[in-house]
Amino acid sequence: MEIEGNFNTVEYRSGALRLIDQRRLPAEESYVECRSAGEVAEAIRAMTVRGAPAIGVAAAYGMAMAVGRSAHLGPEAQIAVLDEAAAVLSGARPTAVNLFWAIRRMREAAEASEFAGEKLAEELLELAHEIHRDDIATCRLIGDHGAALLSPETSLLTHCNAGGLATAGYGTAGGVIRSGFREGKVSRVFVDETRPFLQGARLTAWELSRDGIPVVLITDNMAAYCMRLGKIGAVVVGADRIAANGDVANKVGTYGLAVLAREHKIPFYVAAPMSTIDMDTPSGDEIPIEERPPEEVRRIGDTLIAPEKVEVFNPAFDVTPAGLVDALITERGLVRLAEGESVGSLYP
C-alpha cells in the first residue's frame, strides 16, 4: 500500500502485520512482525506501535488475523475467536478511542456478514485494508484543512508525535505540518522532547528531519520561554480521545501548552480524525487516563536517573478543556471550540 513518507508505520503482507519498532528509534530502524491478535495487543501495550490512529489500524489487522487463523472452525466458533481477540486488544491501552472504534467496526462487520470460514476472513482483511487506506486519506484532509489556518512562514510548536509514525503514514498534527510546509505556510517546527518516553525527541524530530522539514528540538520546560521570545506562531497537537463537549485527551503536557498559548495569545490547534471523537463520553472528566510504569520516569533507557524506590506519578495523558482549543481540525472541517462552536456540528 502506497503511503506518504519514506517509511511504513503499519504494513500487512504475507499473513503478518509488520510494524516499525518505535521503541528503537532514532538509533535503529527495525521492524516487528505480528501474526496474531495477542502479538498485536502486546505491540500496542509495549508502545512498539503508538498513536491513536495507528493503534486503530493495527487493531483492525489483529482482528482480521484472528479470523483468518480460525477459518477452519464453524461460524459460531469463529465469532467466539473474534470476541476473544477483541477482549485481548481492548485491554492493551485504555485511552485511545480509535482502538475501540476499530474493534467495534470489525466486530459489527463480522456480525452482518453472510459468510464464514475463509470468505469471512477475506472480507475482514479487506475491511482492515480499507481502514488503513481511509486513515491516509483522512490525514491528508486534516493536513490541508489545518494548513489553511496558518499564515505564511509560521513557526509551529508541537508536542509528542502525531505524525506519520502515529498514523498509517501522513499524520494528524504531522499532516498539518506536512501540508503547511508544502504550501509555504510552515517555516520550521519546534518539537518538545516529551518526557518521559521522549516521543518528540526520538520520533517527531526523526521523521521531520527525514522529510526535510526544519526542526528545532527543545526540552519540555522551554516552551514558555520560546513563546515569550516570539519564536512560536502557533501550536498544533494531536489527540487520543475527544469528548462530546470538546475536551481533549492527549499526551501529558498538552494541557500546560494550551494554558501557555492562551497566556501568550498564540493559536492552539488540535488535529484529529472523526474516529478520535467519542460522543459517548460527555466530558474530559470521564476519559480514562492510562498510568504507565514508574520505571519510565525513574530511568532513561537503562540508566537510573532518580532514587530507585522514589514514588512516581506517571499518567500518559492529560485533558485540555475545550475552551483552550482555538480550533479542532478534522477531515470534515473545523470546529472553533474556544468560540463556543460544538463538536456536534460535525455530525449531519
Side-chain angles (χ1 to χ4, degrees):
M1 184 176 301
E2 183 179 352
I3 63 167
E4 183 81 17
N6 45 31
F7 56 88
N8 287 330
T9 305
V10 181
E11 184 181 17
Y12 183 86
R13 62 184 186 186
S14 303
L17 182 63
R18 187 171 183 261
L19 304 169
I20 190 168
D21 192 342
Q22 300 191 33
R23 302 166 300 178
R24 297 185 178 276
L25 292 172
E28 175 187 340
E29 185 178 335
S30 61
Y31 292 81
V32 171
E33 283 196 352
C34 302
R35 295 183 176 274
S36 69
E39 290 178 357
V40 173
E42 181 53 34
I44 293 170
R45 186 179 298 108
M47 295 180 70
T48 303
V49 62
R50 42 142 303 281
I55 287 172
V57 173
Y61 281 119
M63 295 280 281
M65 286 190 293
V67 173
R69 289 162 65 94
S70 65
H72 61 288
L73 301 176
E76 291 185 5
Q78 203 170 16
I79 293 297
V81 168
L82 189 66
D83 286 340
E84 182 180 346
V88 169
L89 287 161
S90 295
R93 297 193 72 185
T95 303
V97 75
N98 303 64
L99 171 63
F100 307 99
W101 169 85
I103 291 169
R104 183 173 62 251
R105 188 169 172 190
M106 296 292 285
R107 183 65 180 79
E108 289 174 351
E111 284 185 340
S113 177
E114 61 186 49
F115 299 115
E118 292 288 352
K119 285 287 189 180
L120 178 60
E122 292 171 5
E123 185 178 355
L124 290 192
L125 180 58
E126 178 51 39
L127 177 55
H129 287 321
E130 181 182 324
I131 289 170
H132 191 168
R133 291 190 296 266
D134 285 351
D135 181 77
I136 297 168
T138 290
C139 287
R140 289 178 184 275
L141 287 171
I142 290 170
D144 292 348
H145 288 316
L149 289 169
L150 304 177
S151 302
E153 296 294 308
T154 298
S155 181
L156 292 177
L157 170 66
T158 194
H159 186 66
C160 194
N161 174 264
L165 287 166
T167 66
Y170 193 74
T172 52
V176 175
I177 292 168
R178 278 180 166 174
S179 294
F181 184 71
R182 183 187 66 232
E183 296 176 13
K185 298 286 192 71
V186 174
S187 58
R188 61 179 175 173
V189 183
F190 284 79
V191 175
D192 281 343
E193 61 179 352
T194 319
R195 278 281 291 148
F197 213 67
L198 299 172
Q199 294 99 321
R202 294 189 304 104
L203 306 180
T204 302
W206 178 80
E207 68 171 82
L208 291 179
S209 295
R210 283 177 66 111
D211 281 345
I213 298 174
V215 57
V216 181
L217 180 64
I218 61 174
T219 64
D220 294 351
N221 55 358
M222 294 177 186
Y225 190 52
C226 288
M227 290 179 182
R228 184 176 181 185
L229 292 176
K231 293 181 178 291
I232 309 300
V235 180
V236 59
V237 299
D240 285 81
R241 187 180 299 210
I242 299 170
N245 72 338
D247 292 348
V248 174
N250 193 50
K251 183 56 56 184
V252 66
T254 301
Y255 175 38
L257 287 179
V259 173
L260 290 170
R262 181 57 52 89
E263 173 66 22
H264 290 87
K265 298 179 174 56
I266 294 170
F268 183 89
Y269 303 128
V270 173
M274 294 294 297
S275 57
T276 301
I277 298 173
D278 181 8
M279 294 301 286
D280 292 330
T281 298
S283 75
D285 292 337
E286 287 79 35
I287 296 176
I289 300 298
E290 175 187 3
E291 289 198 32
R292 300 286 300 173
E295 287 305 301
E296 290 181 355
V297 176
R298 294 190 190 118
R299 297 176 181 271
I300 295 182
D302 295 328
T303 303
L304 189 69
I305 62 168
E308 195 164 5
K309 300 297 183 183
V310 70
E311 183 179 352
V312 170
F313 177 52
N314 186 19
F317 308 94
D318 58 24
V319 176
T320 299
L324 293 176
V325 179
D326 286 276
L328 172 62
I329 306 165
T330 78
E331 68 271 30
R332 293 184 185 175
L334 308 177
V335 180
R336 298 183 186 276
L337 294 173
E339 297 177 11
E341 292 185 2
S342 168
V343 172
S345 66
L346 293 169
Y347 295 87

